Amino acid sequence: MLRITIITFALILGTHSWAGVVDVAGDQWQGRFLGTYGQFLVADEMSIQDILQPENQVKFVAGSRDFFHFASLDPKIHGSSRHIWARFQFANSGNHSKTIYFDADGFRYRQTDMFVNGELRGTLRLGESHNHRSIPLTIPADTQITVHFKIQPKLEIIFALRYWDTLSEYLVTRHQRDLEFSIVLAIIFMSLFFNIMLFLAYSDRTSLSYLFYLVGFAFWAISVWRVTDGLWGENDGIGVSAGVMALFATLYSMYFLSLSRFKIIFRLSQLTCIMTVLGTVYTMFYPLKGFDFLQTIVLFCSPFLLACGVFVAIRDRTAYALIYCVGYGTMIVSVLLNVLYNFNVLDYPVLKRAMLYGTSLENLFMLAAMAQKILVTEREREHSYRQLAKVFYPHQLEQMKQGAVLESTMPVGIEQACVLAFDVIGSSRADSEFFAENWEEFMSQCRIMMTDDYDRKTLRSSAYLIKEMGDVFLCSVGFPFREVGNNQSSSALDLALKFMSLFNEIMNKDPYQRPFNCSIGIAKGKVKGYFSKAGAIRHDLWGPAVVLATRYEAMRKLIFDREGVPLSNILTIQQDVYEELPPEEQARFRVINLEDRNYRVRDDSKARFLAFRNDFDTKHKLLDSSA
């Protein structure tokens, strides 16, 4: 009966002077936050005796929520001269005394002193392990006691008091929370590893920005989860790490969504970065005010970045932008809930960690978004390489894939080579439509012939197409690709004969149409390989051999006009080329002594003779010289 009387009197008294009495006899209070059952006072330095004075006792304010947030109560609370006093009333209606253990999560401050009925019962100091960061309190049966907590606060001015019947129950709960924290850290480090690999592979600003964002997230998570105490001095780094997160999240969004395409949006994004930097610096020196300032920035800027993602997703119709919106939207909702909780708009304790869980989930979405963008980028890259393969050689594409510049993918400098100059005789009088169609087929086959035996490792090939102009083209044997055989002149001759045979086969398909004739000139000498300096950059060859090949091809007019040779396919070669041919090949040519006939090859004053062949029948097959 006495027990019931004590509790009843306490409850009646609580309606007038106390926020409530917590009876520890049952298990209804265990693990529950007790903020609404306490009273709080923000004051300058005072002793427990001063606090117990009636004039100070009436100054206590009843708690209005499970977590009590003091920053909004007194923005000047940060500082060693300011303290928070929390007062609670505990009762034990049971038949036996009971020892309870207060949750250490409520004591993340420089120092917390617990007074029971005016006597100091325990002290917790910053830096103590979680196993020791709990204060036991023994309450005898049929007893009611008053407990005061004196708190020297840090940045996070939130008092979250709860108790456990046994220390093991508190440690089990702590272990569960540590397991949750380990999962969050695993997500962070998985994302870190993924982005480090991306940065090493692509060296782009997108993965680098997200990498720094994750570093800020890691520091923020460690601070919020109370794994470590202040990063420096009185500043525990929560606001600074949050500012770093906001800054690099904005930079990541700018690069990931390519916002530089949109001038106004890009300028607004830059303004967001500037405001975030200022807020972060402010938070370094004034943690409470700076953190509130950063929350205000995030509250207005985060929806802007989400709107950018929605705009890009609709405009470009890309899956990765849509996934970005889902991920960023998840984070924004969690941040908004966390901010509304900090500003006392919402009163749900779980929202205290909403940003932590929401940002972890956002990481998973962002990994999926980046993976999707990489997939799209690689598909576009492969398509580009397939198109470039029509212009560049395989070894050039391989080298450019590995980061080489175009100008380093082909040999340059001066070397010896044989150059072939090909021209169609009298093509201006041909049916343009018929000729163009067959000529494209002929050139397509010629390009294939030139790349016969192409080796990307040794850079060997049958020939190299220098340029093509209408019904004329130039190609080289021996440079920039090394000849396949051991004799440049023989290799050049073999290729020229293949060109002529192919020309007759394709260009003279119709037996009822006047046959076309072609002329080839071959010269040997120095050529210079180089890349053009202006316009579309391409590899080119120039030099004496290129000039002389065109000069010897042009000698066909003199041969037809003065030597009595009928109009036909003709192959004219330079003296140096002729002298390098095997005797059996030389026998197939007719030699003209330039001095005896008083002929001269332009730009080749040293030439004593030239050689030519026109022994091709009207059926367009090469004939043996003995025929």
Side-chain angles (χ1 to χ4, degrees), residues 91 353 598:
R353 302 192 185 278
N598 198 27

Side-chain angles (χ1 to χ4, degrees), residues 525-545:
K526 292 182 178 181
V527 293
K528 179 181 180 181
Y530 65 96
F531 280 89
S532 57
K533 300 296 184 181
I537 298 177
R538 65 179 302 272
H539 187 266
D540 205 348
L541 290 184
W542 190 247

Side-chain angles (χ1 to χ4, degrees), residues 25 52 58-59 96 107 109 112 114 274 277 290 292 311 349 377 418 448 454 482 541 585 615:
L52 292 176
V58 297
K59 295 180 181 179
H96 304 283
F107 306 113
Y109 311 108
T112 302
M114 184 178 77
I274 295 173
V277 170
D292 287 341
F311 170 72
T377 302
C418 282
I448 294 175
Y454 166 77
R482 297 170 60 188
L541 290 184
E585 290 294 341
D615 47 349

